[in-house]
Amino acid sequence: MEVLHKQFTIGNTLVINRIGLGTMRATTGAGSWGEPADRQAVIKVIRKAYELGVNFFDTADAYGPGCSELILAEAIEPFKKEVIVGTKGGSVKYAPGKIFASGKPGYLKTTVEASLRRLNLETIDLYQLDHVDPEVPIEESVWMLACLKKQGKIREIGLSNIKLDQLRQAQSITKIASVQNSLSIANQTHLKFAQTCATENIAFIAYCPTAMIDSDKAPKYQQKAVEMGLTLPQLSLLWLLEKSPNIIPIPGTSSEKHLQENLAVWGMMPSVMN
C-alpha cells in the first residue's frame, strides 16, 4: 500500500516530498565542525537521494560552519532548479559542538547574504531562524527575515527549536511556513505541537526523526520493528508519516545503504502503533 500524503506544500509554493535529507553530516562527526573526511562520498549520497525522489534538502550555516552549505551547493548544482533548499541561521558555531544564538536583525541580514553566496542561489527557498536569541525579542528577528523576504532573498520563513508561544509571537509579524523541532517515535515531546501546526497548514520538519533516545522504550520498538520486518529507523519514519500529513522527516545519513532503507518507506504503509 502506498504512503498516504506523500507530499506537503510549505507556504504557497514549495511542494515537498515528505522525506527530506538533513545534511549536518556533510561535516565532520565531532561537533559538526569542519570538512567531512570524504567530501565526494557526501556529494554522492546527496545526489543519490535526489535520484531516489528526495526534493528537499535541509542545512544550516552553523553546520561546519559553512561547510554543509558549500557541499550541498556543489552536490545539487546539476539539478538545483528541481529541488528545494532549506537553511537556517541565527546561531554562531565558534568551536566543535559549541554554539550560541544570535538573532540581532543586522546579524541575520549578514547570515542570509552569506548563505546565498555559499549556496549559489538568488533566493533561499526556506530560511529558518535556527534558535531564538534570549536577548533579542523574536519579533525583531522575524521582522528582519520578513524584510529579506520582501526583497526576494527568502521565499518562505520558518522557525527552529521553538515553542508554541514563540510561534504566536512570530506570527504577529509575518506568516510562518514551517517549524523545525526534534520528533521521533521515541521522542514525542513535540507531537502535539506538530499536530497544532497541521491545523494551520504549517509544515513540521522533524529533525532527528530516527533517534531512539529513550532506552526504556527501545526494546518495545525493536520488537515491533522485527514483527513488521522493518528497521528501527523505518519504523520511526513510518510512524511520523502516519501521525500527521504536515510532518516532514529529514533523516541524515552518510551511507547510501541507510539512505535507500530510509526512502524505502515511501512504498510502505503498515499500521504503526504507539
Side-chain angles (χ1 to χ4, degrees):
M1 187 181 299
E2 290 187 342
V3 175
L4 300 178
H5 306 294
K6 294 181 75 169
Q7 294 183 323
F8 185 85
T9 302
I10 298 179
N12 297 320
T13 58
L14 308 177
V15 181
I16 302 292
N17 295 334
R18 281 186 61 215
I19 299 180
L21 183 70
T23 63
M24 186 171 67
R25 295 193 184 186
T27 60
T28 57
S32 186
W33 184 265
E35 287 276 336
D38 190 338
R39 183 187 182 98
Q40 290 306 311
V42 173
I43 290 173
K44 186 177 179 182
V45 169
I46 292 171
R47 290 179 174 172
K48 186 65 175 180
Y50 169 72
E51 290 175 12
L52 294 174
V54 172
N55 74 337
F56 176 57
F57 296 88
D58 174 82
T59 184
D61 63 7
Y63 299 167
C67 299
S68 176
E69 290 183 327
L70 288 167
I71 292 171
L72 179 61
E74 181 179 347
I76 67 171
E77 180 59 31
F79 47 81
K80 70 179 182 180
K81 292 183 179 179
E82 300 170 36
V83 299
I84 293 162
V85 174
T87 193
K88 300 178 288 294
S91 293
V92 178
K93 176 73 71 64
Y94 62 93
K98 303 293 184 180
I99 197 167
F100 65 87
S102 180
K104 295 180 180 179
Y107 177 73
L108 289 173
K109 184 177 186 298
T110 299
T111 64
V112 169
E113 297 283 1
S115 288
L116 282 166
R117 289 192 296 271
R118 284 190 292 265
L119 291 166
N120 193 26
L121 296 171
E122 295 182 0
T123 302
I124 295 170
D125 295 315
L126 177 65
Y127 194 89
Q128 300 179 106
L129 182 67
D130 201 355
H131 288 86
V132 177
D133 188 335
E135 298 183 1
V136 178
I138 190 172
E139 293 91 340
E140 293 184 14
S141 301
V142 171
W143 170 82
M144 175 51 71
L145 298 183
C147 290
L148 293 166
K149 181 178 179 180
K150 289 180 180 178
Q151 294 172 19
K153 296 178 180 180
I154 297 171
R155 187 162 286 116
E156 300 289 352
I157 297 170
L159 306 169
S160 185
N161 299 298
I162 64 158
K163 299 176 181 179
L164 180 59
D165 64 323
Q166 294 170 324
L167 171 62
R168 297 301 183 225
Q169 289 172 288
Q171 287 174 315
S172 71
I173 303 300
T174 191
K175 177 183 176 181
I176 301 300
S178 68
V179 166
Q180 183 173 150
N181 284 5
S182 61
L183 184 62
S184 73
I185 194 172
N187 176 18
Q188 301 182 23
T189 304
H190 296 123
L191 178 58
K192 185 175 180 180
F193 191 7
Q195 293 169 334
T196 297
C197 287
T199 66
E200 301 178 31
N201 204 38
I202 295 172
F204 191 96
I205 301 170
Y207 72 78
C208 296
T210 62
M212 309 304 291
I213 61 173
D214 188 334
S215 60
D216 293 332
K217 292 181 180 178
K220 165 189 170 182
Y221 297 134
Q222 179 69 65
Q223 180 180 355
K224 185 166 186 62
V226 170
E227 291 172 355
M228 300 175 67
L230 303 172
T231 65
L232 280 172
Q234 286 175 333
L235 180 70
S236 190
L237 290 170
L238 281 167
W239 181 85
L240 288 166
L241 292 172
E242 289 189 325
K243 276 298 172 183
S244 189
N246 67 320
I247 294 176
I248 303 167
I250 50 167
T253 182
S254 57
S255 162
E256 282 195 50
K257 178 178 181 291
H258 292 157
L259 174 70
Q260 291 174 336
E261 288 178 355
N262 289 341
L263 297 181
V265 304
W266 269 330
M268 308 173 187
M269 197 59 176
S271 176
V272 180
M273 298 173 63
N274 291 325

